[in-house]
Amino acid sequence: MSSKDRVAAMLACVHASPEAVARHDRTAWLGLFSPDAEIHDPVGARPHCGAIAIARFYDTFIAPNRIVFEVAYEGVCDDTVWRDVTIHTHMATGLSLRVPAHLRYQLRAQPSGPCYIRRLCAHWELGSMLGQSLRSGWLGLRSNAGLTRHLLACQGMTGAIGFTRGLGGVGRRGRGRAERLFTALRDGAKAAASAQCAPQPTFHVDGVSLASIDALIEHARGLQWRKLIAAGRQVTASIETASGHGIALLTFDKRGRVEQLRWEF
């Protein structure tokens, strides 16, 4: 399979996911995942691992709702497809939610044949989504109560508690540190950028490892960013540099410092 054909097969696999969601085609959607696949949705919550858990995920969050994905950007790097999206969820109660997200599909591509999703990571903020629903007043309260009952029915208490783990993570502090790091990189301020990082951070641009923060600064010329999302111990951002549009993924250590940064265009 040529490189061009491989990219086309990866994108076809990823595009098939929201298409199956829109049709409420449970069989087709589940068939996109490898037997050992994982779903982290949102990142930071308890992951759904394996076919049975992923089927329960579908029954809990997809089956009762109408979901539309508004795509602003997508890109391919190595075995991963990134999508910069807004997720529009219309619940049976009549409540509609608009959730900014970055979706990361890690695929298992066959030398000749179909691709399968082996890991889906949905970066979005659970706390912000709950706040949005509660601002809808009684409708939001009724919708959240219904979701809780349905979550308990499909996944039990363990699943419900695991879902609430999505409320933790680096949060506002992580977004603030990411802002300061981006600002320092754009301005070429090496010391200020290093101050936001762990002692031995790793940097990757389009799958290529960089030897130093100086090399990263070279790639950061004209850096612009928006849509910072904190999920679990990671922050993602939509970025633009001289290389074009892309998505940044920052991973934080236990002390809240950036230990890994990946840019993918």
Side-chain angles (χ1 to χ4, degrees), residues 74-128:
E74 66 181 6
V76 178
C77 182
D78 295 332
D79 66 345
T80 300
V81 175
W82 276 98
R83 303 192 98 192
D84 179 346
V85 305
T86 300
I87 304 172
H88 300 271
T89 302
H90 307 279
M91 303 179 72
T93 58
L95 179 68
S96 293
L97 299 171
R98 180 180 182 276
V99 179
H102 294 119
L103 305 181
R104 178 162 49 108
Y105 297 82
Q106 290 179 273
L107 304 179
R108 179 169 292 143
Q110 309 297 320
S112 59
C115 292
Y116 293 97
I117 301 168
R118 64 183 179 87
R119 181 175 295 160
L120 168 57
C121 297
H123 297 261
W124 56 274
E125 297 186 2
L126 177 57
S128 296

Side-chain angles (χ1 to χ4, degrees), residues 16-37:
S17 175
E19 291 168 0
V21 168
R23 298 193 309 269
H24 279 89
D25 190 335
R26 185 179 189 269
T27 300
W29 189 79
L30 294 176
L32 296 171
F33 293 85
S34 65
D36 59 345

